[in-house]
Amino acid sequence: MVRAGRAGVAAGPTLAVVAREAGVSVPTASKVVNGREDVAPETRRRVTEALDRLGYVRRPRFDGARTLRMVDLVVHSLENSWSGAVLHGVEEAAYDAGLEVVVSAGPSRRRGGRPERDWLDRLVVRGSSGVLFGLAEPTGSQYAWLEQHRIPFVLIDPVLEPPPGVVSVGAANWQGGVTATEHLLSLGHERIAVITGQRHAQEGDARLAGYRSALAAAQVRDRAEYVRHAGADPAAARRHTLELLDLPEPPTAVFVCSDALAPGVYEALAARGLRVPDDVSVVGFDDLPEARWLGPALTTVRQPLAEMAATALRLLVRMMDGDRPEGTRTELSTRLVERASTAPPPAAPGGTRRAPARAAG
Amino acid sequence: MVRAGRAGVAAGPTLAVVAREAGVSVPTASKVVNGREDVAPETRRRVTEALDRLGYVRRPRFDGARTLRMVDLVVHSLENSWSGAVLHGVEEAAYDAGLEVVVSAGPSRRRGGRPERDWLDRLVVRGSSGVLFGLAEPTGSQYAWLEQHRIPFVLIDPVLEPPPGVVSVGAANWQGGVTATEHLLSLGHERIAVITGQRHAQEGDARLAGYRSALAAAQVRDRAEYVRHAGADPAAARRHTLELLDLPEPPTAVFVCSDALAPGVYEALAARGLRVPDDVSVVGFDDLPEARWLGPALTTVRQPLAEMAATALRLLVRMMDGDRPEGTRTELSTRLVERASTAPPPAAPGGTRRAPARAAG
C-alpha cells in the first residue's frame, strides 16, 4: 500500500552530497535536517542553503509503512463555520498522525447532485485509507459499499441515528440542553420557550429532551406551545418567535438549539421593540464564531467541534490499524459560554428567586 | 505519473459479470453505470443492486492520463470563514477538473511552528501536481524549492506583493475602496474615517488608496487623523473608533477595510450610546457570512472569494498542463452589498446634499 509517487523524479542528492557541498560532516548535516538544536547558527545556515541549492528531499519522519497515507473528509458543505471547525480539528490530528487529508463537499449537494457512484469509486481507486463524514451521512448502499471495500469510516455529529455498529462522535447534546435550561431557570425564568431544528434529528431531539428534563427537575411546567421546530432556517425561527410573543403568556426566555437560528430570534425581538436580555433572554447552542458577532453577544452552549473532529480522526486511525473501538458512540461534553444575552426576567429582579411552579396555566 | 493506488485490490468484477448478475445486457448495465436516463427504473434498480453486491468499481470518467491528480491547498488557518469560502471555490472547481484537493493549514502557524522542510518534502514525495496558497505566502526559500521541483503554484489573495513572475488572484481592492467611499459620499458624508489592517499589506494599501482617490475626486479633504491601522484585531478597531469619536470633529461614517474588524467598531459606538446608522454609518469590506449577523446587518464591499479561489484553481490547471498565464495578477471585481448600516449623516437629512469641501479645518 505504499505509494510510489514520483520518487524517481524527487529522489535528489544524498545527505553525503549535501554535507560535502556545505563543507560539514554527514552527522552534522543530519542534525540540521532533523531539526536538532545542537548546531551552530552559521553551520545550520550553510547546510540549509546547500539543502535548498541541491533540492534535497528528506524522507518524511512518519513510520515507513504508513508513509503518506490519506484519509478523506466528506462534509455536507464547506461554506460554513461548522465545517471550518471540523476541518481544523481533523487537519491538526491528521498532521500529528502523519496523514494527509483530502476534502470533498458531500455527494448530492451540488447543482443536480454529485453522482454517488463516481464519488465512491474515487475513494476506492485512490486507495483512501479511511473516511470521516461530517453532517453528510452515507446512504444505505454507501454504507454497504464502504464495508465491502473494507474502507473504515467514522461519522462526526451525525444528524440521524447511524445503523448499529457504525462508529460516530458527537456532543453530549442532552446534557447541553439541560445546561442551557438550568442557566435560564437559575436566573429566575419559568416561561422558557425552545426553538429546535428539524423533527427527528437526533441531536435536536436530545437537546429538546435535555430542556424537558431540566424543566421537570425544577418542577416547571412544560408547555406544548413553547416548543417549536425551525429546521435550519433563521426566517422560520423569526416567525416562531413572533408567534411565541403573541401568546397570552409569552416566554421571557428562548433556548434556540442552534446558534445559526439565533439571528432570526434577535430580529423578531427587535421588530417588536424588545431588548435582549432586558426583556427577553436568549441562549444558543454550538458556539459558532458568529455567536460573538450578534449584538448583544450570544450566551450559548459550546459544542467542542474541533475536538470532536480530532477524536473522530484518532478513532479512524485505530480502525485503519485493524483495531475496533469498544463503544460505537463517543460523546464529548458541552459547557455554557456566558456572554451578554441572558439576564433575570423583567418580573423577577435579582435573578435568585425561584417560585414554585404552578400546577396549570 | 498515473498512480497505481491499490488497483489490484479494487479491480473487482467486469461489467459483463454485473450484467449477468442483474440479468441484463452489457450495454444496459453500461447505461446505468454512466448515469444515462434511458433505462427503466426497475432495470436501473436491479443493475444498481448488482453493482453494489459485486463491488463493481467504475473507472473514473476523467481523462485517463490525469486520473486522480491531486492539488494542495495551503491556507494560513482553517478556522475562519475566509478559508471556508476559498475552500468551497477550490473544491468545486477541482471537482469539475477531475482533481482531488489535499488541504493543510499553513506551515509555521501551529504550536511551535510546522517544520518548513517537512511540509515541502511531503508535497514532493506525494507528487503533488500543484499548490494553491491562501493568505499563506511561501518564504523566499520555499519559492525556490517549488521552482526547483517544478511544482506549479498560484497565490490566492496574497498579503504581500509576490515576487515577479509569481501568479496570483485577488480582488479589485482599489476599486472596492472607491466604491465604499463613494457610497458614503453619496449619502452626504464628508467626515469619513477609515480603519484598515496592518501597514504595508498590499490589499489594505489598495483599499486605502481607493478611499483617498474617492475623497479627492469629490474634493473632500483627506484628514490624517481619520486614517487608522488596526491589524487583524477587533479590539484595536474598538480603541481606534473611541479615539476617532474623541476628536474635535468626529467622523459621521467609518469605512472599515475588513468585516472582521467591524464588531470592534460597533462595540465602541454602542459604548458611547451611538446608534448605527442613525448617528454613525459603517461600511465593511469582504462580505464574510458574519456580516449578516451584526445588528444592524453590515453594508459591505463584497470580495468574491469563492470565485477568486476557483479562478486560481483553473489557472493552476493550465500551468500543470504546461501553459503559462499571460498576466501574473488576475483581479476580480468587487461590488457593494447594501444592508442596514449606512444612512445620511445626522446633520445632512435627505442624503443628497453635497457641500463643497472646506479648504482647511
Side-chain angles (χ1 to χ4, degrees), chain A residues 23-359:
Chain A
V24 302
S25 69
V26 172
T28 300
S30 172
K31 280 182 188 174
V32 173
V33 166
N34 290 302
R36 291 260 298 273
E37 296 296 327
D38 50 345
V39 184
E42 168 59 20
T43 306
R44 180 184 306 280
R45 193 189 55 74
R46 287 213 321 270
V47 174
T48 304
E49 283 175 7
L51 289 166
D52 277 353
R53 206 157 47 234
L54 298 171
Y56 176 79
V57 180
R58 204 188 67 190
R59 298 196 155 277
R61 294 170 80 180
F62 319 115
D63 168 14
R66 295 199 198 168
T67 297
L68 299 176
R69 281 198 300 187
M70 278 178 295
V71 293
D72 277 76
L73 171 65
V74 180
V75 294
H76 70 302
S77 156
L78 288 161
E79 262 195 314
N80 58 72
S81 52
W82 188 97
S83 295
V86 165
L87 189 45
H88 172 69
V90 168
E91 199 270 347
E92 290 238 317
Y95 181 80
D96 290 343
L99 294 166
E100 311 246 22
V101 183
V102 177
V103 173
S104 8
S108 73
R109 283 285 177 149
R110 67 181 56 235
R111 350 150 182 142
R114 187 178 286 195
E116 172 180 322
R117 182 156 305 280
D118 173 83
W119 165 76
L120 289 165
D121 286 348
R122 288 164 67 141
L123 292 186
V124 173
V125 171
R126 181 155 44 70
S128 177
S129 302
V131 189
L132 296 172
F133 292 91
L135 290 188
E137 272 104 289
T139 62
S141 71
Q142 289 173 338
Y143 278 123
W145 176 273
L146 290 163
E147 299 281 5
Q148 217 166 27
H149 290 88
R150 296 196 172 69
I151 298 179
F153 60 97
V154 175
L155 311 189
I156 304 167
D157 207 11
V159 176
L160 305 172
E161 170 100 24
V166 169
V167 176
S168 68
V169 178
N173 288 305
W174 178 85
Q175 186 59 50
V178 170
T179 303
T181 311
E182 281 182 345
H183 170 62
L184 293 167
L185 289 164
S186 74
L187 290 166
H189 292 275
E190 291 183 354
R191 304 212 308 263
I192 303 171
V194 62
I195 300 180
T196 183
Q198 65 192 85
R199 285 173 202 277
H200 310 304
Q202 77 168 351
E203 67 178 22
D205 285 354
R207 292 169 194 180
L208 183 57
Y211 158 87
R212 288 190 164 126
S213 299
L215 291 188
Q219 295 183 287
V220 169
R221 187 161 61 91
D222 175 9
R223 307 173 192 226
E225 71 272 25
Y226 275 8
V227 177
R228 306 282 170 151
H229 292 269
D233 180 11
R238 185 180 194 279
R239 283 195 304 277
H240 282 298
T241 306
L242 292 173
E243 287 176 25
L244 288 165
L245 296 173
D246 287 338
L247 291 174
E249 287 198 293
T252 60
V254 179
F255 167 34
V256 56
C257 291
S258 158
D259 287 355
L261 297 173
V265 176
Y266 272 53
E267 274 176 41
L269 295 172
R272 290 290 166 84
L274 295 169
R275 291 159 304 166
V276 178
D278 310 53
D279 300 310
V280 178
S281 288
V282 183
V283 178
F285 203 111
D286 283 340
D287 196 26
L288 297 181
E290 292 92 327
R292 287 187 296 266
W293 288 60
L294 284 171
L298 187 66
T299 291
T300 190
V301 176
R302 179 170 173 80
Q303 171 165 233
L305 286 173
E307 295 88 326
M308 284 156 56
T311 302
L313 188 282
R314 287 190 286 264
L315 284 169
L316 184 66
V317 169
R318 285 180 49 195
M319 292 163 72
M320 284 157 50
D321 291 343
D323 199 4
R324 187 84 201 160
E326 275 172 42
T328 55
R329 163 101 181 164
T330 303
E331 290 204 342
L332 301 196
S333 62
T334 55
R335 67 181 170 82
L336 187 72
V337 179
E338 285 193 65
R339 296 204 179 95
S341 64
T342 58
T352 50
R353 188 185 64 91
R354 175 77 58 84
R358 277 161 299 172

Side-chain angles (χ1 to χ4, degrees), chain B residues 113-170:
Chain B
R114 185 178 287 196
E116 172 179 322
R117 183 157 305 280
D118 174 82
W119 164 78
L120 288 165
D121 286 348
R122 287 164 68 138
L123 293 186
V124 174
V125 171
R126 180 156 42 70
S128 178
S129 302
V131 189
L132 296 173
F133 292 91
L135 290 189
E137 272 104 289
T139 62
S141 71
Q142 290 174 337
Y143 277 123
W145 176 273
L146 290 163
E147 300 281 4
Q148 216 166 29
H149 290 87
R150 297 197 171 67
I151 297 178
F153 61 96
V154 175
L155 312 188
I156 303 167
D157 208 11
V159 175
L160 304 173
E161 170 101 25
V166 169
V167 177
S168 68
V169 178

Side-chain angles (χ1 to χ4, degrees), chain B residues 258-333:
Chain B
S258 159
D259 287 355
L261 297 173
V265 176
Y266 273 53
E267 274 176 43
L269 295 172
R272 290 290 166 86
L274 295 169
R275 291 158 305 165
V276 178
D278 311 53
D279 299 311
V280 178
S281 289
V282 182
V283 179
F285 203 111
D286 284 340
D287 196 25
L288 297 182
E290 292 93 326
R292 288 187 295 266
W293 288 60
L294 284 171
L298 187 66
T299 291
T300 190
V301 176
R302 179 171 173 78
Q303 171 164 233
L305 285 173
E307 294 88 329
M308 285 156 56
T311 301
L313 188 281
R314 287 190 288 263
L315 284 170
L316 184 66
V317 169
R318 285 179 49 195
M319 292 164 72
M320 284 156 51
D321 291 343
D323 199 4
R324 188 83 202 161
E326 275 172 41
T328 54
R329 163 98 181 167
T330 303
E331 289 203 343
L332 300 196
S333 62

